Amino acid sequence: MQITNLNKGAINSIRPVFDGDKPKIYIETYGCQMNVNDSEVVAAIMQKAGYSVTKDIGDANLILINTCSVRDNAEQRVWGRLEYFRQEKKKRANVTVGVIGCMAERLKDKLLENNIVDIVIGPDAYRELPKLVEKTESGQKGINILLSRDETYADISPVRLDKTGVTAFISIMRGCNNVCAFCVVPYTRGSERSRNPETIIRELKELSENGYKEVTLLGQNVDSYSWNGVTFADLLAMVAESTPAMRVRFSTSHPKDMTDKVLETMAKYGNICNYIHLPVQSGSSAILQSMNRKYNREEYLQRIETIRKIIPDCAISTDIITGFCKETQEDHEDTLSLMREVGYDFAYMFKYSERPGTKAARHFKDDVPEDVKIKRLTEIIDLQSELSLASHRKDLNSIVEVLVEDTSKRSENDLCGRTPQNKMVVFPKGNHKIGDLVKVKITDCSQATLKGIAQTMFNNEEHRDTTLPDVSVNA
Ligand code: 5AD
Ligand code: SF4
């Protein structure tokens, strides 16, 4: 699963609801996109139970922290936040603190030791939250970390917490049946189950009716989606056809499971974005084997070749772990050479972090010294910076389609949004607004962003460029 925003801290995007005397819930979210969507499910459950959502922690009766266990530093950040919540509890009476998500599942007892946490609730037990909150009112702790074989929250319409109302997530499945040796997710999120496609289409249509322009279908391993004979490729086609004006993305794909049929479906429908996140983890076949990834370097590269053949303009990103157990300098160089060979447009890169209970923790020694891990990670990051810049340079002078997501953080006069290839573009606002689909000519780039000028701006003398077709570009 792709991890978002971990390094930027919490994704705290709860929209305030000023609902008189209703009790208020504040949710802080760490970790992957799935967690972001889970917080929206929790917000929906609590709204139904009479709560309103606040973005002001000082105003909250119930403070929830949705947690990630995928690496130790993600957990450490949460322990730090819990100390901050302790101060909140001291300041005001009747503040309840709950830990939800992967850390709740993994560390229940430890979390309850510290006199801060009143509620511990795992990823499959969110429906129980109102009951557990009630329980805390009589001074008891509220605990439920049962994992389920069938919970998908299929009937719950998440309360969208994103400020702009343009892009949204839909979870299509939960849990994971792979046992990658480094990964704690199968233990914290349980076994894999897919969601009824009818409920996915219902949610999709709701989003479309509410003005959303892009949806990302989420699962730990979307390629193994399966519901009464409906495969992931079938689901993608259903989604693309149900809302032809909606951009469609998905994450995460597993190299061992991604079928040609999925690629052909992507090629067939113009509204499925040409972008694939395909975590490789390592470029060394020996390391891939000990990671239990079930593909080798050659098979991965074969998948990349097929993607390029079927979808020539597909952007590809990846996840890489550096310093996994027994990783040699040669293994590391294999990763660097694979990165060059693929020419990734983007990558999420991590130092291996041993997770208790995983296959690697039980069977291997975390034997790559910290300074070597850091050196290798730096080399990987430096190489990816070059590759990202090279990828962006290829877009110079081309015209790309941007779905505007927000105002640029750097300037109120600029808008920002993504191309179908998931590249971030910044351009002067002109008459455009959030939610518009805008054709933008790329004039400059860095390794992180493309910069450009909306085609409509070329009607202004200042930017006139007669080489560009005269097309109306607002959605
Ligand atoms: N250490 C470092 N990175 C990890 N990931 C998963 N588990 C670990 C770990 N123990 C990374 C993988 C995965 C991404 C979501 O997080 O690259 O694809
Ligand atoms: Fe973890 Fe592997 Fe499942 Fe991804 S596919 S969640 S890395 S076990």
Side-chain angles (χ1 to χ4, degrees), residues 232-233 236-237 240-241 248 250 258-276 306-314 421:
F232 181 57
L236 258 187
E241 279 175 22
V248 182
F250 55 87
M258 179 171 231
T259 60
D260 289 0
K261 182 97 187 290
V262 166
L263 301 175
E264 283 152 11
T265 308
M266 290 175 73
K268 180 169 167 195
Y269 294 96
N271 58 330
I272 305 180
C273 292
N274 287 345
Y275 167 64
I276 298 174
T306 311
I307 294 170
R308 302 258 187 250
K309 201 166 77 205
I310 299 177
I311 317 167
D313 66 339
C314 192
Q421 284 78 5

Side-chain angles (χ1 to χ4, degrees), residues 1 3 70-71 182 281 319 321 350-353 355:
M1 191 79 216
I3 296 284
V70 91
R71 279 172 293 278
F182 51 79
Q281 313 298 0
D319 290 344
I321 298 177
F350 313 102
K351 245 177 356 168
Y352 172 60
S353 162
R355 307 315 293 135

Side-chain angles (χ1 to χ4, degrees), residues 408-428:
S408 158
K409 287 196 177 58
R410 296 226 173 128
S411 161
E412 277 196 1
N413 300 322
D414 291 343
L415 293 173
C416 63
R418 289 175 194 277
T419 68
Q421 284 78 5
N422 211 32
K423 295 179 179 177
M424 183 56 86
V425 181
V426 178
F427 64 97

Side-chain angles (χ1 to χ4, degrees), residues 92-237:
R92 291 175 290 132
N94 301 329
V95 176
T96 304
V97 170
V99 176
I100 68 175
C102 290
M103 258 175 100
E105 198 62 48
R106 206 178 85 69
L107 293 169
K108 181 195 87 181
D109 294 330
K110 205 168 161 214
L111 287 164
L112 290 168
E113 272 167 17
N114 63 8
N115 276 332
I116 308 170
V117 179
D118 308 292
I119 294 175
V120 175
I121 186 159
D124 286 347
Y126 295 147
R127 288 178 200 270
E128 295 294 303
L129 190 54
K131 268 194 225 152
L132 297 189
V133 174
E134 243 179 77
K135 205 169 164 190
T136 61
E137 282 159 16
S138 59
Q140 298 174 70
K141 301 275 184 195
I143 305 157
N144 190 334
I145 56 162
L146 283 178
L147 289 172
S148 155
R149 287 196 172 275
D150 48 24
E151 178 63 273
T152 58
Y153 301 110
D155 56 316
I156 294 175
S157 295
V159 170
R160 302 295 165 183
L161 301 172
D162 148 56
K163 290 174 287 183
T164 53
V166 178
T167 65
F169 298 124
I170 299 183
S171 295
I172 62 163
M173 59 204 296
R174 297 179 73 82
C176 183
N177 282 355
N178 294 310
V179 196
C180 299
F182 51 79
C183 187
V184 80
V185 168
Y187 308 93
T188 57
R189 287 190 160 267
S191 53
E192 180 188 289
R193 68 226 92 125
S194 296
R195 177 176 172 189
N196 181 337
E198 280 170 25
T199 70
I200 296 171
I201 301 297
R202 176 200 37 83
E203 199 175 319
L204 176 74
K205 289 193 169 153
E206 273 173 25
L207 287 170
S208 169
E209 281 156 18
N210 287 318
Y212 281 83
K213 302 284 168 57
E214 183 181 290
V215 69
T216 303
L217 308 178
L218 295 180
Q220 243 73 42
N221 178 8
V222 290
D223 302 292
S224 59
Y225 176 89
S226 171
W227 178 274
N228 291 345
V230 178
T231 65
F232 181 57
D234 300 331
L235 178 73
L236 258 187

